Amino acid sequence: MTADTDTRVSSWRLLLGNPVTVVSGAILIVIAVVALTADWIAPFGVNDVNVPDALQGPSGAHWFGTDELGRDMFSRVLVATQASLRVAVISVAFAVVVGVTIGVVSGYRGGWLDTIFMRVVDVMFAFPVLLLALAVVAILGPGMTTTILAIGIVYTPIFARVSRASTLSVRVEPYVSVSRSIGTGHLYILGRHIVPNIAGPLVVQTSLSLAFAILSEAALSFLGLGIQPPQPSLGRMIFDSQGFVTMAWWMAVFPGAAIFVTVLAFNLMGDGLRDVLDPKQRTMIEARRQQ
């Protein structure tokens, strides 16, 4: 068994040895399955209006109750969760691709290119995340596409910073210097030596960013600048429930619970991945278990 295989097996043991991480992973798998199959497993149409059944509480017919128009809340929460995950995954994927490219090139090349890139990143960091997202959506107009773009833009600097910091430490390693000395191309060095060795922090940051992206989408939709009706959105559903909190608590509780559970699962998974992929955390955990 090679050293790489031993490391992989040890990593899986650490990950699976943490019950919180296992539970959060199982929850994320369930959420992913629900998101992929929401259109088929939803018992009612998300926009099927049935006024006589309006504001009915949770029951066998409507598990999460109905809203002010008699629409089934369970169906709407399923489809809204699907939309939130789609926005989060695509926007974070955009941020990863753009941010990592900027960060790796900046950290590897250094000089004036690094200065320019990092000053632009610093300017973007000067704005609160939600405020910058609001500005982008206000300029481009509300909708799913602009929501994805806005969230992707505001999270790009985070990945640029993380990847640059990791690249600065990896580029001075002996194997990178040897590759340069024998005339290896820069693209090969980046793809073979730099990117694989900075993947750990990026995986952790991706998990955490997915959680915050879901919160950002819900906030934008709550303000009316995210996903637009008639497509259901968790944030918009909470906004619509404001006038019915005292008489129909389920209209706010179930969409809010969907956001809470999803965000918590991503955060806990990020903590578990950090324990495995961060050498310092990993050494501490292994030493604690050996005592």
Side-chain angles (χ1 to χ4, degrees):
M1 188 177 290
T2 64
D4 288 342
T5 305
D6 288 338
T7 302
R8 259 188 233 107
V9 172
S10 177
S11 298
W12 277 108
R13 284 176 180 171
L14 282 175
L15 199 61
L16 296 177
N18 186 340
V20 175
T21 304
V22 173
V23 172
S24 63
I27 293 173
L28 288 177
I29 291 173
V30 172
I31 292 172
V33 171
V34 167
L36 291 172
T37 61
D39 293 327
W40 294 285
I41 65 177
F44 297 91
V46 294
N47 293 309
D48 290 349
V49 176
N50 187 7
V51 176
D53 289 337
L55 300 179
Q56 287 191 359
S59 64
H62 301 282
W63 291 359
F64 289 180
T66 60
D67 63 8
E68 75 278 12
L69 297 178
R71 296 173 295 189
D72 182 63
M73 288 293 296
F74 179 67
S75 301
R76 291 178 63 79
V77 167
L78 290 180
V79 177
T81 301
Q82 178 190 62
S84 293
L85 283 180
R86 183 186 299 121
V87 170
V89 170
I90 298 176
S91 61
V92 171
F94 171 87
V96 169
V97 172
V98 178
V100 171
T101 301
I102 293 173
V104 169
V105 173
S106 178
Y108 180 75
R109 297 292 295 179
W112 62 268
L113 189 65
D114 179 40
T115 301
I116 293 175
F117 280 160
M118 288 304 103
R119 293 302 75 76
V120 173
V121 168
D122 289 341
V123 170
M124 296 180 70
F125 264 127
F127 295 92
V129 169
L130 186 57
L131 182 60
L132 185 57
L134 284 171
V136 174
V137 174
I139 294 171
L140 300 178
M144 177 174 283
T145 302
T146 52
T147 300
I148 292 173
L149 183 60
I151 295 175
I153 289 173
V154 299
Y155 285 106
T156 294
I158 298 175
F159 286 97
R161 276 291 187 189
V162 171
S163 57
R164 175 183 178 271
S166 300
T167 301
L168 289 174
S169 62
V170 172
R171 74 173 185 177
V172 297
E173 293 292 334
Y175 52 83
V176 176
S177 301
V178 170
S179 294
R180 284 177 176 169
S181 65
I182 62 177
T184 305
H186 295 304
L187 289 178
Y188 181 85
I189 294 175
L190 290 173
R192 182 68 179 84
H193 298 305
I194 302 295
V195 175
N197 285 287
I198 67 172
L202 293 177
V203 170
V204 176
Q205 185 59 52
T206 298
S207 179
L208 298 176
S209 294
L210 284 168
F212 290 115
I214 291 173
L215 287 175
S216 298
E217 183 277 322
L220 290 173
S221 296
F222 182 86
L223 297 173
L225 297 173
I227 298 174
Q228 298 297 298
Q231 185 171 5
S233 166
L234 296 174
R236 184 71 188 186
M237 292 166 70
I238 294 175
F239 175 82
D240 292 337
S241 71
Q242 291 181 100
F244 306 93
V245 173
T246 56
M247 65 181 75
W249 55 267
W250 54 87
M251 287 181 61
V253 167
F254 290 116
I259 296 173
F260 172 78
V261 171
T262 306
V263 171
L264 181 62
F266 274 121
N267 279 327
L268 293 177
M269 177 57 69
D271 288 341
L273 291 172
R274 183 196 60 192
D275 292 341
V276 172
L277 298 174
D278 186 349
K280 293 182 181 179
Q281 292 286 338
R282 180 171 176 160
T283 302
M284 291 173 58
I285 293 174
E286 290 178 341
R288 197 180 304 128
R289 289 184 176 181
Q290 291 175 358
Q291 290 178 354

